[in-house]
Amino acid sequence: MTHRITYTLKELATLLSPQKDAEAVSRLARQLRHWTNEDLLQTVGAKHTGTGVSRRYAPEQVRLAAILMELNRYHVPITVLSECFETLTSEYSKRDEWKQAVQGKGAIYLMFAYSDEFISAQLFSGQSRHPMLEPKGQISGKPMVSAITINLSRLFAQLEL
């Protein structure tokens, strides 16, 4: 597939939809629109376009949408995502590990954990120690909780950008 600068909402939904049928794409488009309205995804240009004008998304937003879909599979509440997704979009996307995942260089993971008391999202490579495996079951002084670990390298490779 040739490299594209931006994707319309429909193109984004089609690209990310596991099932390519019209109903599944339409459901995913509604979800993507909701995430955009909640500022979890950013558009190129206006977020609220007029009739006949499509929202457009940069490739980086496609990757973030894929992560949101993965976290959505585990029913992570939008209130939790709203608190931490800014870190992913502003800080993590500049880190070397993120760039390695985008380029398909090595196994790069995103570990995501949350409870009533804290939210944690961390990038790590397959060569480093898993961030949740801290001594005595603690993370930043808080009791260990269940975590979701996403293989970003694999997830990004599945995207045909």
Side-chain angles (χ1 to χ4, degrees), residues 63-144:
R63 292 180 189 96
L64 293 173
I67 293 171
L68 284 170
M69 284 182 56
E70 199 61 27
L71 293 173
N72 191 51
R73 286 183 46 217
Y74 295 99
H75 308 287
V76 175
I78 194 155
T79 53
V80 171
L81 293 172
S82 295
E83 287 185 41
C84 74
F85 220 65
E86 176 64 27
T87 301
L88 284 174
T89 58
S90 63
E91 293 176 27
Y92 287 179
S93 60
K94 296 174 187 168
R95 291 190 36 199
D96 287 340
E97 294 95 342
W98 184 275
K99 292 172 187 170
Q100 290 170 6
V102 168
Q103 295 167 357
K105 295 181 179 178
I108 305 296
Y109 301 92
L110 169 68
M111 185 283 305
F112 184 84
Y114 71 97
S115 72
D116 292 338
E117 298 178 19
F118 78 96
I119 299 170
S120 174
Q122 299 177 28
L123 287 175
F124 66 100
S125 73
Q127 305 299 317
S128 64
R129 187 172 174 181
H130 191 290
M132 288 299 286
L133 299 178
E134 292 185 14
K136 300 181 183 172
Q138 300 287 312
I139 180 167
S140 304
K142 305 285 185 191
M144 186 180 292

Side-chain angles (χ1 to χ4, degrees), residues 5 10 20 27 31 53 59 125 139-140 145 156:
I5 305 263
K10 185 174 181 180
K20 300 297 181 190
R27 272 192 319 272
Q31 182 67 59
V53 180
S125 73
I139 180 167
S140 304
V145 297
F156 293 170

Side-chain angles (χ1 to χ4, degrees), residues 3 9-10 22 28 50 56 62 98 100 103 108 139 148 159:
H3 179 70
L9 178 67
K10 185 174 181 180
L28 183 53
R56 301 207 61 91
V62 175
W98 184 275
Q100 290 170 6
Q103 295 167 357
I108 305 296
I139 180 167
I148 301 165
L159 301 173

Side-chain angles (χ1 to χ4, degrees), residues 1-7 11 15 59 159-161:
M1 179 180 226
T2 59
H3 179 70
R4 303 185 78 180
I5 305 263
T6 62
Y7 298 84
E11 289 170 335
L15 179 67
L159 301 173
E160 297 177 8
L161 301 179

